[in-house]
PDB file of all heavy atoms in Angstrom:
ATOM      1  N   SER B  61       8.174 -11.079  -2.122  1.00  0.00           N
ATOM      2  CA  SER B  61       8.418 -12.523  -2.227  1.00  0.00           C
ATOM      3  C   SER B  61       7.199 -13.195  -2.845  1.00  0.00           C
ATOM      4  O   SER B  61       6.062 -12.900  -2.474  1.00  0.00           O
ATOM      5  CB  SER B  61       8.681 -13.113  -0.837  1.00  0.00           C
ATOM      6  OG  SER B  61       8.712 -14.517  -0.895  1.00  0.00           O
ATOM      7  N   TYR B  62       7.461 -14.100  -3.783  1.00  0.00           N
ATOM      8  CA  TYR B  62       6.382 -14.839  -4.427  1.00  0.00           C
ATOM      9  C   TYR B  62       6.427 -16.324  -4.086  1.00  0.00           C
ATOM     10  O   TYR B  62       5.822 -17.157  -4.766  1.00  0.00           O
ATOM     11  CB  TYR B  62       6.387 -14.612  -5.942  1.00  0.00           C
ATOM     12  CG  TYR B  62       7.725 -14.759  -6.611  1.00  0.00           C
ATOM     13  CD1 TYR B  62       8.089 -15.959  -7.217  1.00  0.00           C
ATOM     14  CD2 TYR B  62       8.623 -13.702  -6.652  1.00  0.00           C
ATOM     15  CE1 TYR B  62       9.317 -16.103  -7.835  1.00  0.00           C
ATOM     16  CE2 TYR B  62       9.856 -13.829  -7.271  1.00  0.00           C
ATOM     17  CZ  TYR B  62      10.202 -15.028  -7.861  1.00  0.00           C
ATOM     18  OH  TYR B  62      11.415 -15.157  -8.476  1.00  0.00           O
ATOM     19  N   GLY B  63       7.166 -16.648  -3.019  1.00  0.00           N
ATOM     20  CA  GLY B  63       7.239 -18.005  -2.531  1.00  0.00           C
ATOM     21  C   GLY B  63       8.451 -18.147  -1.624  1.00  0.00           C
ATOM     22  O   GLY B  63       9.300 -17.246  -1.548  1.00  0.00           O
ATOM     23  N   VAL B  64       8.535 -19.301  -0.956  1.00  0.00           N
ATOM     24  CA  VAL B  64       9.683 -19.541  -0.075  1.00  0.00           C
ATOM     25  C   VAL B  64      10.968 -19.475  -0.894  1.00  0.00           C
ATOM     26  O   VAL B  64      11.078 -20.118  -1.942  1.00  0.00           O
ATOM     27  CB  VAL B  64       9.545 -20.908   0.613  1.00  0.00           C
ATOM     28  CG1 VAL B  64      10.811 -21.232   1.402  1.00  0.00           C
ATOM     29  CG2 VAL B  64       8.333 -20.922   1.527  1.00  0.00           C
ATOM     30  N   LYS B  65      11.868 -18.661  -0.451  1.00  0.00           N
ATOM     31  CA  LYS B  65      13.188 -18.433  -1.062  1.00  0.00           C
ATOM     32  C   LYS B  65      13.110 -17.743  -2.423  1.00  0.00           C
ATOM     33  O   LYS B  65      14.127 -17.613  -3.110  1.00  0.00           O
ATOM     34  CB  LYS B  65      13.976 -19.741  -1.158  1.00  0.00           C
ATOM     35  CG  LYS B  65      14.281 -20.335   0.205  1.00  0.00           C
ATOM     36  CD  LYS B  65      15.182 -21.555   0.117  1.00  0.00           C
ATOM     37  CE  LYS B  65      15.463 -22.086   1.515  1.00  0.00           C
ATOM     38  NZ  LYS B  65      16.328 -23.284   1.501  1.00  0.00           N
ATOM     39  N   ASP B  66      11.924 -17.295  -2.825  1.00  0.00           N
ATOM     40  CA  ASP B  66      11.745 -16.558  -4.076  1.00  0.00           C
ATOM     41  C   ASP B  66      11.455 -15.107  -3.758  1.00  0.00           C
ATOM     42  O   ASP B  66      10.373 -14.779  -3.257  1.00  0.00           O
ATOM     43  CB  ASP B  66      10.594 -17.142  -4.892  1.00  0.00           C
ATOM     44  CG  ASP B  66      10.911 -18.515  -5.424  1.00  0.00           C
ATOM     45  OD1 ASP B  66      12.071 -18.740  -5.809  1.00  0.00           O
ATOM     46  OD2 ASP B  66       9.997 -19.359  -5.453  1.00  0.00           O
ATOM     47  N   THR B  67      12.442 -14.245  -4.046  1.00  0.00           N
ATOM     48  CA  THR B  67      12.266 -12.826  -3.748  1.00  0.00           C
ATOM     49  C   THR B  67      12.750 -11.999  -4.935  1.00  0.00           C
ATOM     50  O   THR B  67      13.497 -12.486  -5.795  1.00  0.00           O
ATOM     51  CB  THR B  67      13.037 -12.399  -2.484  1.00  0.00           C
ATOM     52  OG1 THR B  67      14.447 -12.550  -2.713  1.00  0.00           O
ATOM     53  CG2 THR B  67      12.640 -13.236  -1.283  1.00  0.00           C
ATOM     54  N   ASP B  68      12.321 -10.754  -4.974  1.00  0.00           N
ATOM     55  CA  ASP B  68      12.761  -9.862  -6.038  1.00  0.00           C
ATOM     56  C   ASP B  68      12.720  -8.429  -5.534  1.00  0.00           C
ATOM     57  O   ASP B  68      12.083  -8.129  -4.519  1.00  0.00           O
ATOM     58  CB  ASP B  68      11.885 -10.017  -7.279  1.00  0.00           C
ATOM     59  CG  ASP B  68      12.609  -9.597  -8.546  1.00  0.00           C
ATOM     60  OD1 ASP B  68      13.727  -9.022  -8.450  1.00  0.00           O
ATOM     61  OD2 ASP B  68      12.067  -9.840  -9.638  1.00  0.00           O
ATOM     62  N   LYS B  69      13.426  -7.552  -6.277  1.00  0.00           N
ATOM     63  CA  LYS B  69      13.538  -6.169  -5.873  1.00  0.00           C
ATOM     64  C   LYS B  69      12.312  -5.371  -6.283  1.00  0.00           C
ATOM     65  O   LYS B  69      11.672  -5.653  -7.296  1.00  0.00           O
ATOM     66  CB  LYS B  69      14.785  -5.539  -6.507  1.00  0.00           C
ATOM     67  CG  LYS B  69      16.091  -6.171  -6.061  1.00  0.00           C
ATOM     68  CD  LYS B  69      17.257  -5.524  -6.778  1.00  0.00           C
ATOM     69  CE  LYS B  69      18.570  -6.146  -6.339  1.00  0.00           C
ATOM     70  NZ  LYS B  69      19.734  -5.536  -7.040  1.00  0.00           N
ATOM     71  N   GLY B  70      12.045  -4.332  -5.487  1.00  0.00           N
ATOM     72  CA  GLY B  70      11.024  -3.369  -5.835  1.00  0.00           C
ATOM     73  C   GLY B  70      11.643  -2.064  -6.286  1.00  0.00           C
ATOM     74  O   GLY B  70      12.801  -2.020  -6.719  1.00  0.00           O
ATOM     75  N   GLU B  71      10.889  -1.017  -6.117  1.00  0.00           N
ATOM     76  CA  GLU B  71      11.268   0.308  -6.610  1.00  0.00           C
ATOM     77  C   GLU B  71      12.452   0.923  -5.851  1.00  0.00           C
ATOM     78  O   GLU B  71      13.264   1.636  -6.431  1.00  0.00           O
ATOM     79  CB  GLU B  71      10.041   1.216  -6.499  1.00  0.00           C
ATOM     80  CG  GLU B  71      10.245   2.670  -6.892  1.00  0.00           C
ATOM     81  CD  GLU B  71       9.021   3.507  -6.571  1.00  0.00           C
ATOM     82  OE1 GLU B  71       8.017   2.947  -6.055  1.00  0.00           O
ATOM     83  OE2 GLU B  71       9.055   4.727  -6.809  1.00  0.00           O
ATOM     84  N   VAL B  72      12.533   0.668  -4.528  1.00  0.00           N
ATOM     85  CA  VAL B  72      13.535   1.341  -3.695  1.00  0.00           C
ATOM     86  C   VAL B  72      14.319   0.314  -2.882  1.00  0.00           C
ATOM     87  O   VAL B  72      14.340   0.349  -1.652  1.00  0.00           O
ATOM     88  CB  VAL B  72      12.871   2.386  -2.769  1.00  0.00           C
ATOM     89  CG1 VAL B  72      12.388   3.571  -3.570  1.00  0.00           C
ATOM     90  CG2 VAL B  72      11.724   1.777  -1.966  1.00  0.00           C
ATOM     91  N   SER B  73      14.991  -0.610  -3.549  1.00  0.00           N
ATOM     92  CA  SER B  73      15.637  -1.738  -2.880  1.00  0.00           C
ATOM     93  C   SER B  73      17.062  -1.474  -2.407  1.00  0.00           C
ATOM     94  O   SER B  73      17.598  -2.255  -1.598  1.00  0.00           O
ATOM     95  CB  SER B  73      15.638  -2.947  -3.816  1.00  0.00           C
ATOM     96  OG  SER B  73      16.342  -2.635  -5.006  1.00  0.00           O
ATOM     97  N   ASP B  74      17.697  -0.410  -2.862  1.00  0.00           N
ATOM     98  CA  ASP B  74      19.093  -0.161  -2.482  1.00  0.00           C
ATOM     99  C   ASP B  74      19.225  -0.014  -0.966  1.00  0.00           C
ATOM    100  O   ASP B  74      18.516   0.761  -0.338  1.00  0.00           O
ATOM    101  CB  ASP B  74      19.623   1.103  -3.157  1.00  0.00           C
ATOM    102  CG  ASP B  74      19.860   0.901  -4.640  1.00  0.00           C
ATOM    103  OD1 ASP B  74      19.823  -0.264  -5.090  1.00  0.00           O
ATOM    104  OD2 ASP B  74      20.095   1.897  -5.345  1.00  0.00           O
ATOM    105  N   GLY B  75      20.180  -0.763  -0.381  1.00  0.00           N
ATOM    106  CA  GLY B  75      20.425  -0.697   1.058  1.00  0.00           C
ATOM    107  C   GLY B  75      19.597  -1.669   1.868  1.00  0.00           C
ATOM    108  O   GLY B  75      19.728  -1.727   3.089  1.00  0.00           O
ATOM    109  N   TYR B  76      18.758  -2.448   1.185  1.00  0.00           N
ATOM    110  CA  TYR B  76      17.891  -3.421   1.850  1.00  0.00           C
ATOM    111  C   TYR B  76      18.102  -4.818   1.278  1.00  0.00           C
ATOM    112  O   TYR B  76      18.375  -4.960   0.095  1.00  0.00           O
ATOM    113  CB  TYR B  76      16.415  -3.069   1.659  1.00  0.00           C
ATOM    114  CG  TYR B  76      15.987  -1.712   2.142  1.00  0.00           C
ATOM    115  CD1 TYR B  76      15.947  -0.628   1.277  1.00  0.00           C
ATOM    116  CD2 TYR B  76      15.577  -1.510   3.462  1.00  0.00           C
ATOM    117  CE1 TYR B  76      15.522   0.624   1.702  1.00  0.00           C
ATOM    118  CE2 TYR B  76      15.143  -0.266   3.895  1.00  0.00           C
ATOM    119  CZ  TYR B  76      15.123   0.792   3.007  1.00  0.00           C
ATOM    120  OH  TYR B  76      14.696   2.023   3.432  1.00  0.00           O
ATOM    121  N   SER B  77      17.944  -5.812   2.126  1.00  0.00           N
ATOM    122  CA  SER B  77      17.899  -7.188   1.670  1.00  0.00           C
ATOM    123  C   SER B  77      16.757  -7.887   2.391  1.00  0.00           C
ATOM    124  O   SER B  77      16.271  -7.414   3.415  1.00  0.00           O
ATOM    125  CB  SER B  77      19.224  -7.913   1.931  1.00  0.00           C
ATOM    126  OG  SER B  77      19.484  -7.968   3.324  1.00  0.00           O
ATOM    127  N   VAL B  78      16.318  -9.012   1.826  1.00  0.00           N
ATOM    128  CA  VAL B  78      15.203  -9.754   2.424  1.00  0.00           C
ATOM    129  C   VAL B  78      15.526 -11.241   2.422  1.00  0.00           C
ATOM    130  O   VAL B  78      16.387 -11.710   1.688  1.00  0.00           O
ATOM    131  CB  VAL B  78      13.875  -9.516   1.669  1.00  0.00           C
ATOM    132  CG1 VAL B  78      13.361  -8.096   1.871  1.00  0.00           C
ATOM    133  CG2 VAL B  78      14.018  -9.860   0.194  1.00  0.00           C
ATOM    134  N   SER B  79      14.788 -11.944   3.250  1.00  0.00           N
ATOM    135  CA  SER B  79      14.877 -13.405   3.236  1.00  0.00           C
ATOM    136  C   SER B  79      13.538 -13.989   3.611  1.00  0.00           C
ATOM    137  O   SER B  79      12.793 -13.421   4.420  1.00  0.00           O
ATOM    138  CB  SER B  79      15.961 -13.898   4.196  1.00  0.00           C
ATOM    139  OG  SER B  79      15.616 -13.609   5.537  1.00  0.00           O
ATOM    140  N   ARG B  80      13.253 -15.127   2.994  1.00  0.00           N
ATOM    141  CA  ARG B  80      12.015 -15.851   3.310  1.00  0.00           C
ATOM    142  C   ARG B  80      12.343 -17.341   3.288  1.00  0.00           C
ATOM    143  O   ARG B  80      12.351 -17.972   2.255  1.00  0.00           O
ATOM    144  CB  ARG B  80      10.918 -15.524   2.308  1.00  0.00           C
ATOM    145  CG  ARG B  80       9.553 -16.053   2.744  1.00  0.00           C
ATOM    146  CD  ARG B  80       8.479 -15.539   1.856  1.00  0.00           C
ATOM    147  NE  ARG B  80       7.167 -16.038   2.241  1.00  0.00           N
ATOM    148  CZ  ARG B  80       6.124 -16.016   1.447  1.00  0.00           C
ATOM    149  NH1 ARG B  80       6.219 -15.499   0.219  1.00  0.00           N
ATOM    150  NH2 ARG B  80       4.950 -16.473   1.872  1.00  0.00           N
ATOM    151  N   SER B  81      12.598 -17.878   4.467  1.00  0.00           N
ATOM    152  CA  SER B  81      12.995 -19.284   4.597  1.00  0.00           C
ATOM    153  C   SER B  81      11.784 -20.187   4.858  1.00  0.00           C
ATOM    154  O   SER B  81      11.886 -21.409   4.716  1.00  0.00           O
ATOM    155  CB  SER B  81      14.018 -19.455   5.710  1.00  0.00           C
ATOM    156  OG  SER B  81      13.468 -18.999   6.943  1.00  0.00           O
ATOM    157  N   LYS B  82      10.662 -19.595   5.232  1.00  0.00           N
ATOM    158  CA  LYS B  82       9.428 -20.339   5.403  1.00  0.00           C
ATOM    159  C   LYS B  82       8.251 -19.448   5.057  1.00  0.00           C
ATOM    160  O   LYS B  82       8.378 -18.218   5.056  1.00  0.00           O
ATOM    161  CB  LYS B  82       9.298 -20.907   6.819  1.00  0.00           C
ATOM    162  CG  LYS B  82       9.618 -19.937   7.934  1.00  0.00           C
ATOM    163  CD  LYS B  82       9.612 -20.662   9.279  1.00  0.00           C
ATOM    164  CE  LYS B  82       9.988 -19.697  10.393  1.00  0.00           C
ATOM    165  NZ  LYS B  82       9.955 -20.367  11.719  1.00  0.00           N
ATOM    166  N   THR B  83       7.135 -20.052   4.751  1.00  0.00           N
ATOM    167  CA  THR B  83       5.987 -19.316   4.240  1.00  0.00           C
ATOM    168  C   THR B  83       5.583 -18.174   5.146  1.00  0.00           C
ATOM    169  O   THR B  83       5.243 -17.092   4.673  1.00  0.00           O
ATOM    170  CB  THR B  83       4.791 -20.269   4.046  1.00  0.00           C
ATOM    171  OG1 THR B  83       5.135 -21.265   3.104  1.00  0.00           O
ATOM    172  CG2 THR B  83       3.559 -19.515   3.565  1.00  0.00           C
ATOM    173  N   GLU B  84       5.619 -18.386   6.435  1.00  0.00           N
ATOM    174  CA  GLU B  84       5.034 -17.418   7.358  1.00  0.00           C
ATOM    175  C   GLU B  84       5.904 -16.212   7.696  1.00  0.00           C
ATOM    176  O   GLU B  84       5.401 -15.235   8.228  1.00  0.00           O
ATOM    177  CB  GLU B  84       4.606 -18.114   8.655  1.00  0.00           C
ATOM    178  CG  GLU B  84       5.700 -18.886   9.361  1.00  0.00           C
ATOM    179  CD  GLU B  84       5.717 -20.348   8.968  1.00  0.00           C
ATOM    180  OE1 GLU B  84       5.471 -20.671   7.782  1.00  0.00           O
ATOM    181  OE2 GLU B  84       6.018 -21.180   9.860  1.00  0.00           O
ATOM    182  N   ASP B  85       7.202 -16.268   7.403  1.00  0.00           N
ATOM    183  CA  ASP B  85       8.083 -15.184   7.827  1.00  0.00           C
ATOM    184  C   ASP B  85       8.810 -14.535   6.658  1.00  0.00           C
ATOM    185  O   ASP B  85       9.370 -15.219   5.795  1.00  0.00           O
ATOM    186  CB  ASP B  85       9.123 -15.698   8.830  1.00  0.00           C
ATOM    187  CG  ASP B  85       8.515 -16.026  10.177  1.00  0.00           C
ATOM    188  OD1 ASP B  85       7.573 -15.324  10.579  1.00  0.00           O
ATOM    189  OD2 ASP B  85       8.987 -16.985  10.817  1.00  0.00           O
ATOM    190  N   PHE B  86       8.815 -13.199   6.670  1.00  0.00           N
ATOM    191  CA  PHE B  86       9.512 -12.427   5.642  1.00  0.00           C
ATOM    192  C   PHE B  86      10.311 -11.362   6.384  1.00  0.00           C
ATOM    193  O   PHE B  86       9.734 -10.510   7.068  1.00  0.00           O
ATOM    194  CB  PHE B  86       8.482 -11.802   4.705  1.00  0.00           C
ATOM    195  CG  PHE B  86       9.043 -11.212   3.443  1.00  0.00           C
ATOM    196  CD1 PHE B  86      10.174 -11.734   2.829  1.00  0.00           C
ATOM    197  CD2 PHE B  86       8.410 -10.144   2.835  1.00  0.00           C
ATOM    198  CE1 PHE B  86      10.666 -11.199   1.643  1.00  0.00           C
ATOM    199  CE2 PHE B  86       8.890  -9.594   1.647  1.00  0.00           C
ATOM    200  CZ  PHE B  86      10.016 -10.123   1.048  1.00  0.00           C
ATOM    201  N   LEU B  87      11.626 -11.439   6.276  1.00  0.00           N
ATOM    202  CA  LEU B  87      12.502 -10.550   7.028  1.00  0.00           C
ATOM    203  C   LEU B  87      13.075  -9.471   6.113  1.00  0.00           C
ATOM    204  O   LEU B  87      13.488  -9.756   4.986  1.00  0.00           O
ATOM    205  CB  LEU B  87      13.650 -11.336   7.664  1.00  0.00           C
ATOM    206  CG  LEU B  87      13.266 -12.498   8.578  1.00  0.00           C
ATOM    207  CD1 LEU B  87      14.527 -13.173   9.108  1.00  0.00           C
ATOM    208  CD2 LEU B  87      12.385 -12.035   9.709  1.00  0.00           C
ATOM    209  N   LEU B  88      13.108  -8.260   6.615  1.00  0.00           N
ATOM    210  CA  LEU B  88      13.719  -7.132   5.916  1.00  0.00           C
ATOM    211  C   LEU B  88      14.936  -6.682   6.718  1.00  0.00           C
ATOM    212  O   LEU B  88      14.812  -6.383   7.910  1.00  0.00           O
ATOM    213  CB  LEU B  88      12.734  -5.975   5.789  1.00  0.00           C
ATOM    214  CG  LEU B  88      13.269  -4.684   5.144  1.00  0.00           C
ATOM    215  CD1 LEU B  88      13.520  -4.909   3.648  1.00  0.00           C
ATOM    216  CD2 LEU B  88      12.285  -3.524   5.348  1.00  0.00           C
ATOM    217  N   THR B  89      16.100  -6.638   6.067  1.00  0.00           N
ATOM    218  CA  THR B  89      17.333  -6.252   6.742  1.00  0.00           C
ATOM    219  C   THR B  89      17.912  -4.996   6.116  1.00  0.00           C
ATOM    220  O   THR B  89      18.038  -4.916   4.884  1.00  0.00           O
ATOM    221  CB  THR B  89      18.373  -7.378   6.700  1.00  0.00           C
ATOM    222  OG1 THR B  89      17.864  -8.508   7.414  1.00  0.00           O
ATOM    223  CG2 THR B  89      19.682  -6.939   7.349  1.00  0.00           C
ATOM    224  N   LEU B  90      18.224  -4.046   6.964  1.00  0.00           N
ATOM    225  CA  LEU B  90      18.991  -2.876   6.559  1.00  0.00           C
ATOM    226  C   LEU B  90      20.429  -3.188   6.918  1.00  0.00           C
ATOM    227  O   LEU B  90      20.764  -3.325   8.098  1.00  0.00           O
ATOM    228  CB  LEU B  90      18.517  -1.630   7.303  1.00  0.00           C
ATOM    229  CG  LEU B  90      17.160  -1.032   6.919  1.00  0.00           C
ATOM    230  CD1 LEU B  90      16.002  -1.957   7.268  1.00  0.00           C
ATOM    231  CD2 LEU B  90      16.970   0.317   7.595  1.00  0.00           C
ATOM    232  N   GLU B  91      21.257  -3.364   5.920  1.00  0.00           N
ATOM    233  CA  GLU B  91      22.618  -3.846   6.159  1.00  0.00           C
ATOM    234  C   GLU B  91      23.421  -2.886   7.015  1.00  0.00           C
ATOM    235  O   GLU B  91      24.166  -3.290   7.906  1.00  0.00           O
ATOM    236  CB  GLU B  91      23.311  -4.071   4.822  1.00  0.00           C
ATOM    237  CG  GLU B  91      22.575  -5.011   3.883  1.00  0.00           C
ATOM    238  CD  GLU B  91      22.592  -6.463   4.354  1.00  0.00           C
ATOM    239  OE1 GLU B  91      23.355  -6.792   5.285  1.00  0.00           O
ATOM    240  OE2 GLU B  91      21.840  -7.282   3.796  1.00  0.00           O
ATOM    241  N   SER B  92      23.288  -1.588   6.745  1.00  0.00           N
ATOM    242  CA  SER B  92      23.997  -0.549   7.484  1.00  0.00           C
ATOM    243  C   SER B  92      23.091   0.681   7.457  1.00  0.00           C
ATOM    244  O   SER B  92      23.073   1.423   6.478  1.00  0.00           O
ATOM    245  CB  SER B  92      25.340  -0.244   6.814  1.00  0.00           C
ATOM    246  OG  SER B  92      26.001   0.816   7.479  1.00  0.00           O
ATOM    247  N   ALA B  93      22.333   0.841   8.505  1.00  0.00           N
ATOM    248  CA  ALA B  93      21.267   1.842   8.508  1.00  0.00           C
ATOM    249  C   ALA B  93      21.793   3.265   8.280  1.00  0.00           C
ATOM    250  O   ALA B  93      22.849   3.655   8.817  1.00  0.00           O
ATOM    251  CB  ALA B  93      20.501   1.781   9.825  1.00  0.00           C
ATOM    252  N   THR B  94      21.041   4.024   7.486  1.00  0.00           N
ATOM    253  CA  THR B  94      21.347   5.435   7.244  1.00  0.00           C
ATOM    254  C   THR B  94      20.126   6.272   7.629  1.00  0.00           C
ATOM    255  O   THR B  94      19.003   5.760   7.700  1.00  0.00           O
ATOM    256  CB  THR B  94      21.689   5.692   5.776  1.00  0.00           C
ATOM    257  OG1 THR B  94      20.511   5.487   4.984  1.00  0.00           O
ATOM    258  CG2 THR B  94      22.795   4.766   5.287  1.00  0.00           C
ATOM    259  N   SER B  95      20.345   7.558   7.808  1.00  0.00           N
ATOM    260  CA  SER B  95      19.251   8.438   8.224  1.00  0.00           C
ATOM    261  C   SER B  95      18.136   8.481   7.180  1.00  0.00           C
ATOM    262  O   SER B  95      16.964   8.699   7.515  1.00  0.00           O
ATOM    263  CB  SER B  95      19.776   9.847   8.503  1.00  0.00           C
ATOM    264  OG  SER B  95      20.406  10.376   7.353  1.00  0.00           O
ATOM    265  N   SER B  96      18.489   8.267   5.912  1.00  0.00           N
ATOM    266  CA  SER B  96      17.487   8.279   4.844  1.00  0.00           C
ATOM    267  C   SER B  96      16.546   7.069   4.923  1.00  0.00           C
ATOM    268  O   SER B  96      15.515   7.036   4.221  1.00  0.00           O
ATOM    269  CB  SER B  96      18.159   8.305   3.474  1.00  0.00           C
ATOM    270  OG  SER B  96      18.893   7.114   3.248  1.00  0.00           O
ATOM    271  N   GLN B  97      16.892   6.119   5.754  1.00  0.00           N
ATOM    272  CA  GLN B  97      16.030   4.949   5.940  1.00  0.00           C
ATOM    273  C   GLN B  97      15.084   5.102   7.130  1.00  0.00           C
ATOM    274  O   GLN B  97      14.328   4.175   7.438  1.00  0.00           O
ATOM    275  CB  GLN B  97      16.880   3.686   6.072  1.00  0.00           C
ATOM    276  CG  GLN B  97      17.634   3.353   4.784  1.00  0.00           C
ATOM    277  CD  GLN B  97      18.546   2.164   4.919  1.00  0.00           C
ATOM    278  OE1 GLN B  97      19.340   2.072   5.867  1.00  0.00           O
ATOM    279  NE2 GLN B  97      18.489   1.257   3.962  1.00  0.00           N
ATOM    280  N   THR B  98      15.121   6.252   7.754  1.00  0.00           N
ATOM    281  CA  THR B  98      14.108   6.580   8.751  1.00  0.00           C
ATOM    282  C   THR B  98      12.758   6.629   8.047  1.00  0.00           C
ATOM    283  O   THR B  98      12.582   7.392   7.095  1.00  0.00           O
ATOM    284  CB  THR B  98      14.404   7.924   9.424  1.00  0.00           C
ATOM    285  OG1 THR B  98      15.576   7.804  10.223  1.00  0.00           O
ATOM    286  CG2 THR B  98      13.236   8.371  10.295  1.00  0.00           C
TER     287      THR B  98
END
Side-chain angles (χ1 to χ4, degrees):
Chain B
S61 171
Y62 48 96
V64 173
K65 297 186 179 180
D66 292 322
T67 64
D68 204 351
K69 297 178 180 179
E71 177 187 359
V72 289
S73 60
D74 288 348
Y76 302 94
S77 62
V78 290
S79 66
R80 190 171 179 198
S81 59
K82 46 187 178 178
T83 299
E84 56 266 38
D85 289 325
F86 192 31
L87 304 179
L88 177 70
T89 297
L90 288 66
E91 304 290 348
S92 177
T94 68
S95 58
S96 65
Q97 294 176 311
T98 292

